[in-house]
Amino acid sequence: MRITIRDGWPDDLPAILGMLDSRVEWLVSQGRTGQWGTKPLSQSPKTVESIGRYMAEGSRAGVSLLRVDCYAGDDGKLVRYYESNGFTRTEAFTVGESQWPGQLLARRV
């Protein structure tokens, strides 16, 4: 699967939440609950509000550098996926007492 980057619009919110929920479901089926937990992200009011705000404000307009952060634990497969789509590792990090492993990546657009 390749990543295609395009402008998003508020009408895209249901599709975005659906994609996120399907990824949570897939991660759970793979036993990878350390990344996003076990509950659909569409059930998190904070997540829905945050994504909706970004869509309404057009936060990516005029952006030339796209940055993502992702789960870097387990076998590192997610980081390699982003790298295969043109992203470059920039900084590793950990979160909280559990030392949740993360990776920042960037790609010029």
Side-chain angles (χ1 to χ4, degrees):
M1 178 192 297
R2 301 294 299 168
I3 295 174
T4 301
I5 299 170
R6 68 164 179 83
D7 290 338
W9 302 100
D11 290 346
D12 292 324
L13 184 58
I16 291 168
L17 292 171
M19 287 188 291
L20 292 171
D21 286 350
S22 71
R23 294 304 84 197
V24 170
E25 184 179 334
W26 180 83
L27 288 166
V28 168
S29 75
Q30 300 294 308
R32 297 171 180 253
T33 59
Q35 182 173 351
W36 288 348
T38 59
K39 296 179 182 173
L41 293 177
S42 63
Q43 292 180 4
S44 166
K46 182 178 177 182
T47 299
V48 173
E49 188 273 329
S50 177
I51 294 171
R53 185 178 65 249
Y54 288 132
M55 301 303 295
E57 294 173 357
S59 299
R60 290 191 180 181
V63 172
S64 62
L65 180 67
L66 178 61
R67 294 183 189 148
V68 298
D69 62 80
C70 69
Y71 182 63
D74 297 322
D75 56 10
K77 212 172 179 180
L78 184 57
V79 174
R80 289 193 305 279
Y81 168 76
Y82 279 110
E83 290 175 321
S84 74
N85 279 278
F87 286 84
T88 303
R89 294 178 197 219
T90 58
E91 186 176 342
F93 64 94
T94 57
V95 178
E97 292 179 22
S98 67
Q99 295 295 295
W100 186 91
Q103 178 68 51
L104 296 174
L105 300 104
R107 174 183 164 178
R108 293 266 172 218
V109 292

